[in-house]
Amino acid sequence: MDGIRYCCPCLFGVESVLSFEIKRIGGENLAVSDGRISFDGDINMLARANIKLSTAERVMIELGSFEAKTFEQLFQGVKALPFENFIGKFDRFPVKGSSLNSQLHSIPDCQSIIKKAAVTRLSKKYGIERFEETGALHQIQFNIYKDRCTVYLDTSGAGLHKRGYRKDANEAPIKETLAAAIADFARVKTGSQVVDPMCGSGTLLIESAYKSMRIAPGLMRHFSAESWESVPKSIWKTERDLAREQANLAGGFTGTGSDIDERAVALTLQNSKLAGVGDYIKAAKADIRTFKPKDGTITVCNPPYGERLLELKEAEELYKVMGQVLAPSKDHPCYIISPHEEFERLFGKKADKRRKLYNGMIRCWLYQYYL
C-alpha cells in the first residue's frame, strides 16, 4: 500500500484552511470540492491526518469512483474495488451513504447492492461464503452524485471534531473543527494573546491554544483504523511521537475568557484542563459591558443569537453593546461568528471581510474586523 487516495470532508467554508493543513502534513495531488478534499499519501498519512488535521471532519480512504446509473453498474463497480487490502476475514463492514441528483436514489437498495458486491469480492479473495463480521469495524461509505458513485472506508470512527476534551458544553456550543478554522482566519500564531468575552465552554480559546502551540488535536483520542490488522500498529506510535515533538508549549500563548454565566466559566476552565492547556487559559465571570480591549490581543467570540422572538431581541441589543465595547481596530482585531444577517448594522461597523461558514447545519457569517 505505497500510495493511498484519501478524502477528508469538512464544513462548508473551511476548504481553504483544510487544504493548507493537508499540504503541510505532506498530502499531494489535492482535489478540492465543496465540503471535501481528496489527496494522495502513504500508509503513515492515515495516522498523521487523523491525529493532526484540525478542520477535517473525518479521514476516509477513497477506494474508487465510477458511473452508476443502474444497479448492475453499481454492483460491478463496487465488486472491482480492492476491499481485501483493508478488510479481513472476520471484520465488520456495514454500508451507509447518500445519493443526490442521480437515477439511483433509493438509499436502502444502494446499501444492499454495495454490501452484496463487497461480499462477492471478499468471498472470492478469501474462499469463504459466510462472513461472521465479529472483528474490527470497517465502515463503508458511498456517495452517489449526478450518477457517479464514490466508495470510501472511514478510518476515523467518531467525527474528528470530538477531540476528547469537551465532556460538557453550554447550550449553543461551536463545533471544534469550526473553532479551529476561525483561529486560522483570525491569524492566531505562536505567541498570540487571544480573548473571548463570551467564552461559553471555552472551545474557541482551546482551539486557538492548539493552533498557537502547534498541538495536534487528535493526540488524546483513538480512531477506528487503529484496530485494523491491515494497518501497522507502529505508524500510530510514530505519528503521535512526532506530533508531540513538534508541539511548542513555550511559545507564549495566553487565552483569556469571561462570561456572565458562572457555569460557562467553570466549563471553560474544566475543558481547558482536559485539553491539556489549562496552564495557558484563564477565565472569570464578567459582563461584556465591562470589557475593555487591549492592544496586541485578538478577540474571538460566538455570541448568542436567540431562536425565539424575545431571545432574538435580547441578542440584537447585545450586538449593539458589543459594537460599543469591542471597538475593533488594527491593534485589537475581532472575529465574531453569528447567523444574524443584520449583525453589522446592529454592531455599528461594517466588517472588513465577511465569510460564510456553517456551524453544523446553521448558516453563519464570520465578521472579520482587522483594519
Side-chain angles (χ1 to χ4, degrees), residues 182-204:
I182 290 173
D184 189 274
F185 291 135
R187 302 172 189 175
V188 173
K189 57 186 178 182
T190 301
S192 288
Q193 317 297 300
V194 179
V195 180
D196 185 350
M198 286 171 281
C199 58
S201 54
T203 308
L204 280 165

Side-chain angles (χ1 to χ4, degrees), residues 74-107:
L74 181 63
F75 179 86
Q76 294 299 334
V78 173
K79 194 179 73 166
L81 301 177
F83 292 103
E84 67 278 2
N85 287 350
F86 303 97
I87 301 175
K89 291 182 181 181
F90 306 105
D91 293 332
R92 292 173 286 153
F93 50 103
V95 179
K96 64 180 180 180
S98 62
S99 178
L100 182 66
N101 298 334
S102 299
Q103 294 185 44
L104 300 180
H105 53 80
S106 170
I107 301 303

Side-chain angles (χ1 to χ4, degrees), residues 214-261:
R214 299 199 294 271
I215 297 173
L219 276 175
M220 297 191 300
R221 56 161 288 178
H222 292 280
F223 310 93
S224 283
E226 287 190 73
S227 62
W228 295 4
E229 291 186 5
S230 55
V231 177
K233 306 296 183 188
S234 59
I235 70 168
W236 299 96
K237 183 180 187 306
T238 297
E239 294 300 332
R240 282 194 172 96
D241 288 345
L242 182 60
R244 291 188 182 99
E245 290 174 8
Q246 292 173 340
N248 178 21
L249 304 185
F253 171 84
T254 62
T256 304
S258 59
D259 202 288
I260 197 169
D261 184 354

Side-chain angles (χ1 to χ4, degrees), residues 166 168-174 198-203 259 261 263-265 267-268 271 302 304:
R166 200 164 72 179
D168 295 298
N170 60 344
E171 293 181 358
I174 191 169
M198 286 171 281
C199 58
S201 54
T203 308
D259 202 288
D261 184 354
R263 180 175 175 271
V265 172
L267 278 175
T268 293
N271 292 340
N302 173 34

Side-chain angles (χ1 to χ4, degrees), residues 65-307:
S65 183
F66 50 89
E67 184 179 80
K69 293 183 178 180
T70 67
F71 285 130
E72 180 62 21
Q73 286 180 319
L74 181 63
F75 179 86
Q76 294 299 334
V78 173
K79 194 179 73 166
L81 301 177
F83 292 103
E84 67 278 2
N85 287 350
F86 303 97
I87 301 175
K89 291 182 181 181
F90 306 105
D91 293 332
R92 292 173 286 153
F93 50 103
V95 179
K96 64 180 180 180
S98 62
S99 178
L100 182 66
N101 298 334
S102 299
Q103 294 185 44
L104 300 180
H105 53 80
S106 170
I107 301 303
D109 287 341
C110 290
Q111 287 176 301
S112 179
I113 294 295
I114 291 172
K115 180 71 172 185
K116 182 179 179 181
V119 167
T120 301
R121 169 88 182 196
L122 292 170
S123 293
K124 184 177 180 180
K125 293 294 179 179
Y126 292 132
I128 56 177
E129 294 183 2
R130 183 177 178 276
F131 289 85
E132 297 180 7
E133 296 199 50
T134 57
L137 175 65
H138 293 63
Q139 179 67 62
I140 297 173
Q141 293 194 199
F142 68 91
N143 172 255
I144 305 176
Y145 179 64
K146 292 185 177 179
D147 297 321
R148 186 154 195 88
C149 178
T150 307
V151 180
Y152 310 93
L153 283 179
D154 173 33
T155 73
S156 301
L160 294 183
H161 69 280
K162 296 185 177 181
R163 318 290 206 208
Y165 63 73
R166 200 164 72 179
K167 306 299 182 183
D168 295 298
N170 60 344
E171 293 181 358
I174 191 169
K175 204 170 186 182
E176 292 90 332
T177 44
L178 179 57
I182 290 173
D184 189 274
F185 291 135
R187 302 172 189 175
V188 173
K189 57 186 178 182
T190 301
S192 288
Q193 317 297 300
V194 179
V195 180
D196 185 350
M198 286 171 281
C199 58
S201 54
T203 308
L204 280 165
L205 291 173
I206 293 169
E207 293 298 327
S208 293
Y210 277 4
K211 178 171 178 57
S212 176
M213 295 188 281
R214 299 199 294 271
I215 297 173
L219 276 175
M220 297 191 300
R221 56 161 288 178
H222 292 280
F223 310 93
S224 283
E226 287 190 73
S227 62
W228 295 4
E229 291 186 5
S230 55
V231 177
K233 306 296 183 188
S234 59
I235 70 168
W236 299 96
K237 183 180 187 306
T238 297
E239 294 300 332
R240 282 194 172 96
D241 288 345
L242 182 60
R244 291 188 182 99
E245 290 174 8
Q246 292 173 340
N248 178 21
L249 304 185
F253 171 84
T254 62
T256 304
S258 59
D259 202 288
I260 197 169
D261 184 354
E262 286 186 359
R263 180 175 175 271
V265 172
L267 278 175
T268 293
L269 295 174
Q270 172 186 298
N271 292 340
S272 298
K273 184 176 180 180
L274 289 172
V277 293
D279 291 341
Y280 309 93
I281 293 174
K282 58 183 180 180
K285 181 180 178 182
D287 190 315
I288 192 171
R289 290 170 176 80
T290 67
F291 181 79
K292 295 181 180 180
K294 296 180 180 179
D295 289 353
T297 62
I298 301 170
T299 298
V300 295
C301 61
N302 173 34
Y305 57 91
E307 295 180 344

